[in-house]
Amino acid sequence: MSAPDELFDEAALEAARILFARKAEFMMGAVAMDGLPAPDLPEVAFAGRSNVGKSSLINALVGHKHLARASNSPGRTREVNFFVLDDRLRLVDLPGYGFARASRTEVKKFQNLGRDYLRGRPNLKRAYLLIDARHGLKEVDGDPMDAFDRAAVSYQIVLTKADKLRPAAVEDVRRRTEAAIAKRPAAFPRVIATSAETAAGLAELRAEIAAACEITEV
C-alpha cells in the first residue's frame, strides 16, 4: 500500500485533515434530477456495490459515526444523498448496485438517476468508485466504469476494507486494479487502498478530494 506522504507533502495532508475535521452535515436526498441542489459548490461522488462500505467510508472521512446511514440490507440507498462539508464542498452518495433488494423496474429507476447525475452535473469534480479489496474488480463493476467513461467523468478507484487482507495482498490487488484500468479514458491512474476501521489511506483520500476540488487553503 503506497504511503500518503509519497504523494502529498505534510502541508497538503494537514490542510486536508483540518478541512475534513470541520462541520459536516446531511443536506438532502434527491429522487429526481429536478430535485438536485444548485450546482454552486464543488462535489465529489461515491459509487460502488451495495455492500462495499460507502457509508462507512464517508463517515470515517469526516470523523462521524452516523452521518451517512449504513444499512444491514444491501441496496437500501435509492436516492442521491448530499452531505455538505464546511460549506465548501459536497460529498455525494450515489445509489449502490449489484445486490439491491427491489424490483428490476425500481432498480433501473434509481440506478439511472445516478447515471443522469454523472452526465448532468457541471460541478462534479471527481467520482470515487469503491471496490472491496478482498474481491477486487468484478464483472458488475464494468457498468459504472463504462458510465464514467461515456460521461467523461474523472473517476478514481478506492479499495475498501483493506484491513481484512495482509499488506502484501492489498498491494497486489492495488497494482492489479491499476493495470486493469490503465486503458480506460476517464480513470484516474492511481488506486488508493483504505480501511474505515483502521483509517489506513484516509489521509491520502482526503488530500485527493481537496486537490480535485482545488481547495488548497483552510
Side-chain angles (χ1 to χ4, degrees), residues 2 7-8 126 155-158 174 178 181 187-192 204 208:
S2 58
L7 303 171
F8 298 98
R126 184 174 297 165
Y155 65 98
Q156 186 167 10
I157 303 292
V158 175
R174 191 186 67 79
E178 286 184 346
I181 64 172
F188 195 76
R190 188 164 55 243
V191 172
I192 304 175
E204 180 182 2
E208 289 276 16

Side-chain angles (χ1 to χ4, degrees), residues 61-212:
L61 282 171
V62 298
H64 288 234
K65 290 185 177 180
H66 305 294
L67 180 68
R69 291 177 295 177
S71 173
N72 292 326
S73 300
R76 286 287 298 277
T77 301
R78 299 177 187 180
E79 302 175 333
V80 175
N81 290 315
F82 293 82
F83 306 91
V84 180
L85 176 62
D86 195 33
D87 291 324
R88 300 179 72 181
L89 68 93
R90 297 190 190 108
L91 309 176
V92 184
D93 186 4
L94 298 178
Y97 59 88
F99 296 95
R101 292 180 181 175
S103 69
R104 289 185 179 182
T105 299
E106 189 175 2
V107 168
K108 186 174 182 180
K109 179 180 178 180
F110 64 77
Q111 291 186 350
N112 281 346
L113 173 62
R115 293 188 181 96
D116 289 342
Y117 167 84
L118 294 173
R119 286 194 295 263
R121 200 63 175 164
N123 55 326
L124 177 61
K125 300 302 182 181
R126 184 174 297 165
Y128 293 91
L129 180 59
L130 276 52
I131 302 295
D132 191 322
R134 298 171 297 179
H135 308 305
L137 287 172
K138 297 291 187 183
E139 184 177 353
V140 70
D141 300 313
D143 285 344
M145 289 193 289
D146 290 343
F148 293 139
D149 288 335
R150 285 194 296 267
V153 171
S154 172
Y155 65 98
Q156 186 167 10
I157 303 292
V158 175
L159 301 176
T160 61
K161 306 181 184 182
D163 59 295
K164 307 299 183 183
L165 296 174
R166 294 180 182 274
V170 174
E171 181 61 15
D172 179 63
V173 70
R174 191 186 67 79
R175 291 184 182 278
R176 286 191 284 111
T177 304
E178 286 184 346
I181 64 172
K183 294 184 178 180
R184 284 190 169 269
F188 195 76
R190 188 164 55 243
V191 172
I192 304 175
T194 67
S195 167
E197 294 295 324
T198 67
L202 296 187
E204 180 182 2
L205 181 53
R206 292 184 187 112
E208 289 276 16
I209 293 171

